[in-house]
Amino acid sequence: MIEKERFAGFKEANNPTLGLAMIFDVSGFTNFFNKPDLQYYITDYINHVIECVEITIYGGIDYWTTYPEKLKSLQKPSLRKFLGDGLLYIWEENDTAYLKNSKFKIDLINRVWNLQTYFKEVNKKLHEIIPIADLPKSIKFGLAQGTVYKLSEADGGQDYIGPCINLASRLVKYCPEINFICSARLNLPLQDISNNGYMKIIANEIRSFEYEIVIIDQDDYLSLKEEDKARLFKELEK
């Protein structure tokens, strides 16, 4: 085995810019990973799920929806990073100021909302290639916007740090019954939020981000048990 070179370290941190972080996480992936002989199928599984997520970004046929269509490519992310049971995507603001464009963000969240809603159709497709009946039943998404810093590595690589990345990672784990949560820091017009079936609400118990206003699907919230609503969320005063 060839010994890898040591980590070369970071060379510099660029000035702060506006960024959008999205993390997806396959629920129950750890238990799934313990299935016998999974080494023969795990790459097929991971590759297919990632391909579905990337169709929502880079375009392609969203076969899992009720009326599949060919999606056009959205703004390409600045970073894509595998996290073991999902991926982190970072979009960094540029001269086009696309992160101030609500249409890009609404298109993105609608597409990933569709994917998590119809994830059972992805599992049906996976059953054609993977001989395991109890595949992970859901995929979760967390999105947040805010300041990011690009870290340039001495060997030419790059990474990002920033509070919005930490927040996205908290959101994707926040409420087991809700598979799509994004921070209200995306600064979406209220009309766009309500027109697309979402709502703003306060999340009470996000670690390090207590009383964060988030955006969730209205029907998802209504379907929660009353004790979970009271514990995890607080409705905004009208």
Side-chain angles (χ1 to χ4, degrees):
M1 183 176 67
I2 299 175
E3 183 179 352
K4 293 184 178 180
E5 295 291 337
R6 293 175 59 185
F7 176 55
F10 293 109
K11 182 173 60 175
E12 61 181 353
N14 289 11
N15 291 331
T17 56
L18 181 65
L20 172 65
M22 181 177 82
I23 293 177
F24 83 82
D25 179 359
V26 177
S27 296
F29 186 79
T30 301
N31 290 335
F32 173 63
F33 194 76
N34 291 328
K35 298 289 184 184
D37 299 325
L38 192 66
Q39 68 270 23
Y40 299 113
Y41 316 111
I42 190 62
T43 53
D44 288 336
Y45 178 84
I46 293 173
N47 289 341
H48 189 86
V49 172
I50 292 175
E51 174 63 17
C52 292
V53 175
E54 302 230 315
I55 284 172
T56 70
I57 300 169
Y58 295 93
I61 303 297
D62 58 346
Y63 72 81
W64 49 87
T65 58
T66 304
Y67 303 102
E69 61 177 308
K70 186 173 183 179
L71 302 175
K72 294 181 180 180
S73 176
L74 299 177
Q75 177 74 34
K76 294 177 176 57
S78 305
L79 177 77
R80 170 178 47 195
K81 185 175 182 179
F82 185 59
L83 301 177
D85 54 359
L87 263 76
L88 162 68
Y89 295 88
I90 301 287
W91 286 263
E92 185 181 12
E93 186 67 291
N94 58 27
D95 293 340
T96 66
Y98 70 94
L99 286 182
K100 295 182 175 66
N101 181 350
S102 61
K103 185 179 185 308
F104 159 70
K105 290 180 280 191
I106 283 291
D107 284 347
L108 176 63
I109 67 175
N110 281 344
R111 290 181 184 191
V112 299
W113 181 90
N114 278 333
L115 179 54
Q116 61 85 26
T117 298
Y118 297 102
F119 194 65
K120 63 181 180 180
E121 299 300 324
V122 176
N123 277 346
K124 288 180 182 179
K125 181 71 71 173
L126 283 164
H127 281 145
E128 297 175 7
I129 57 175
I130 297 179
I132 297 173
D134 55 338
L135 298 175
K137 291 183 171 54
S138 61
I139 185 172
K140 300 173 72 70
F141 289 90
L143 296 90
Q145 180 175 291
T147 302
V148 294
Y149 298 83
K150 182 191 293 183
L151 300 178
S152 299
E153 298 175 7
D155 62 1
Q158 68 179 41
D159 208 335
Y160 286 86
I161 58 173
C164 66
I165 302 172
N166 300 334
L167 178 54
S169 70
R170 302 284 197 275
L171 293 175
V172 82
K173 302 285 188 183
Y174 185 61
C175 179
E177 287 75 30
I178 294 183
N179 296 324
F180 166 83
I181 307 180
C182 69
S183 170
R185 296 173 192 262
L186 267 69
N187 293 327
L188 295 171
L190 186 58
Q191 195 67 38
D192 286 346
I193 293 172
S194 58
N195 285 349
N196 286 275
Y198 306 118
M199 62 181 290
K200 282 186 176 184
I201 196 165
I202 299 170
N204 294 328
E205 298 184 353
I206 302 175
R207 183 162 55 89
S208 301
F209 296 93
E210 287 78 11
Y211 302 107
E212 181 78 13
I213 299 178
V214 298
I215 298 170
I216 58 177
D217 181 84
Q218 295 179 19
D219 291 336
D220 285 347
Y221 176 68
L222 293 175
S223 68
L224 291 176
K225 297 178 181 177
E226 290 302 320
E227 56 266 33
D228 290 334
K229 289 181 184 178
R231 179 174 57 88
L232 296 173
F233 297 102
K234 179 182 178 182
E235 295 186 19
L236 291 164
E237 295 182 4
K238 298 181 180 179

